Amino acid sequence: MSWDALFSLQGHGPYLLGAYGVTLALIAWEAGTLWRRARARRRAARLRAGDGR
């Protein structure tokens, strides 16, 4: 598929771009959730060890 066909406002281009956008947003959301969960787990482990930073 060419870039012109992908970005044209006729045909399936907008649907494909929307699907890719939603997919990328979900991947970013999942990565952020996993990062926050790992950060909270590391902080809880540090607090249990007595290093309250």
Side-chain angles (χ1 to χ4, degrees), residues 26-46:
L26 288 173
I27 290 170
W29 181 59
E30 182 72 19
T33 302
L34 291 172
W35 177 75
R36 285 180 50 205
R37 189 180 300 165
R39 201 174 95 192
R41 186 175 287 177
R42 281 192 306 263
R43 182 165 194 229
R46 265 193 252 133

Side-chain angles (χ1 to χ4, degrees), residues 4-52:
D4 291 333
L6 187 60
F7 288 107
S8 79
L9 293 178
Q10 300 167 348
H12 300 294
Y15 299 109
L16 291 172
L17 288 175
Y20 288 137
V22 168
T23 302
L24 289 175
L26 288 173
I27 290 170
W29 181 59
E30 182 72 19
T33 302
L34 291 172
W35 177 75
R36 285 180 50 205
R37 189 180 300 165
R39 201 174 95 192
R41 186 175 287 177
R42 281 192 306 263
R43 182 165 194 229
R46 265 193 252 133
L47 289 175
R48 271 188 264 118
D51 182 21

